[in-house]
Amino acid sequence: MEDKKQKAYTLLVISDASSKVRKLIISHNILRSIFVAIIIIIASGVILFSNLVLMRDKLDEKVAEIERLESRMQYKEVEMANLEKKTREIETKTKILEDYLKDVEELDRMVRDITGKGGYVEEVAVYTDDLSADVVLEEDPNEIYYYINDQEQELDDIDALLDELLEVAPDLSEVLSQDKQNMEDHIYLMEHTPDMWPTWGTITGVFNERRYGYYHKGLDIANSTGTPISSTAAGVVIYVGWHGGYGRKIVVYHGFGYSTVYAHLSKMYAAVGDEVEKGEVIGTMGSTGRSTGSHLHYEVLVDGIPNNPQNFLP
């Protein structure tokens, strides 16, 4: 069988009028191959372009996500800075209030020392919880939430409370300072008030008792020679020596118009100018001077006038 005649295409190429006409014969198979190649190249180009577009979209999404994360990190840094600032402010205000409370505690201890009642068992504290805060942002990649979290709200509440306390604290501190001063003055007065027994024994003579044509100016307490004699209040010794019928005698000035006299002593342990504490032993009982036996003659003078010592004794 005869082969079919192969189809071909003739392409005439004319460069100019004087040139020969050139013929380019292209077979059908070659032309078809060229067409297929062009289609493949175009298809490949379309696919490559589509992939590039998709990659660019994904890249844009990643860039947008990174920008969102950066914004969230920046917000977190700002929020953390605000929380740290609030924390420092609260700590400063707390320190101020604790200084005020120290005055309260000191006054409280003074009251307890005097009365033996009341007072706090533990130290007073304004706020002892941890003031640090950890911010947790919403885990939503498409949205940033600007909000005040619970910890920040708690700090705001504490800060507001401290502001309220600081508004009244100065006035309260002034009142407490005055109370403290009054209490200290009261304690000082109590320490310098002759309101304790100078010794122990048997009362053998009372105040204003008529004796040998004169009125007894003090209180006589009898006991054995050498019994300790104590100052009934804090003060300064203004007399030490022998005084006629009083025998060995000590006089202590306590301030506030109070003076006390201790007479008929066997021994004297104090000297003029000594500062003595309440309850401090200043001598021993004896029978010196005009005396019928070992005893203490004790006087309390207020502005130089003898008063009944028993009015001061518990």
Side-chain angles (χ1 to χ4, degrees), residues 12-53:
L12 299 176
V13 180
I14 302 173
S15 58
D16 54 50
S18 60
S19 300
K20 294 181 180 181
V21 177
R22 296 181 181 178
K23 293 181 180 181
L24 182 58
I25 299 173
I26 304 174
S27 67
H28 178 74
N29 291 335
I30 293 175
L31 188 60
R32 183 171 58 186
S33 298
I34 293 173
F35 179 74
V36 170
I38 292 173
I39 294 298
I40 292 173
I41 292 172
I42 293 173
S44 299
V46 171
I47 294 172
L48 179 61
F49 179 76
S50 299
N51 289 336
L52 290 175
V53 171

Side-chain angles (χ1 to χ4, degrees), residues 176-216:
L176 290 175
S177 296
Q178 185 60 50
D179 289 343
K180 178 182 176 183
Q181 184 61 50
N182 293 338
M183 188 66 68
E184 290 175 345
D185 292 343
H186 179 67
I187 293 173
Y188 187 83
L189 176 60
M190 290 177 62
E191 288 294 318
H192 290 75
T193 300
D195 57 1
M196 63 171 285
W197 288 90
T199 188
W200 62 92
T202 302
I203 295 177
T204 56
V206 295
F207 179 77
N208 222 21
E209 179 183 17
R210 188 169 181 81
R211 186 182 292 181
Y212 306 114
Y214 70 94
Y215 290 98
H216 193 227

Side-chain angles (χ1 to χ4, degrees), residues 10 71 110 116 127 155 189 194 196 212 220 223 233 269 272 307 312:
T10 300
S71 298
M110 292 173 63
Y127 191 77
L155 290 179
L189 176 60
M196 63 171 285
Y212 306 114
D220 288 344
N223 208 328
Y269 300 143
V272 174
N307 277 245
F312 297 87

Side-chain angles (χ1 to χ4, degrees), residues 195-201 203 219 221 230-232 279 298 310 313-314:
D195 57 1
M196 63 171 285
W197 288 90
T199 188
W200 62 92
I203 295 177
L219 182 69
I221 304 172
S230 301
S231 175
T232 56
Y298 173 62
Q310 288 183 291
L313 297 176

Side-chain angles (χ1 to χ4, degrees), residues 216-260:
H216 193 227
K217 297 180 181 179
L219 182 69
D220 288 344
I221 304 172
N223 208 328
S224 59
T225 299
T227 301
I229 306 299
S230 301
S231 175
T232 56
V236 178
V237 178
I238 60 173
Y239 180 88
V240 175
W242 187 278
H243 185 191
Y246 284 97
R248 291 190 178 94
K249 169 182 167 183
I250 294 176
V251 180
V252 180
Y253 177 70
H254 307 288
F256 304 100
Y258 294 121
S259 298
T260 52

Side-chain angles (χ1 to χ4, degrees), residues 110-121:
M110 292 173 63
V111 172
R112 277 184 289 165
D113 291 340
I114 295 172
T115 64
K117 298 179 181 179
Y120 296 101
V121 177

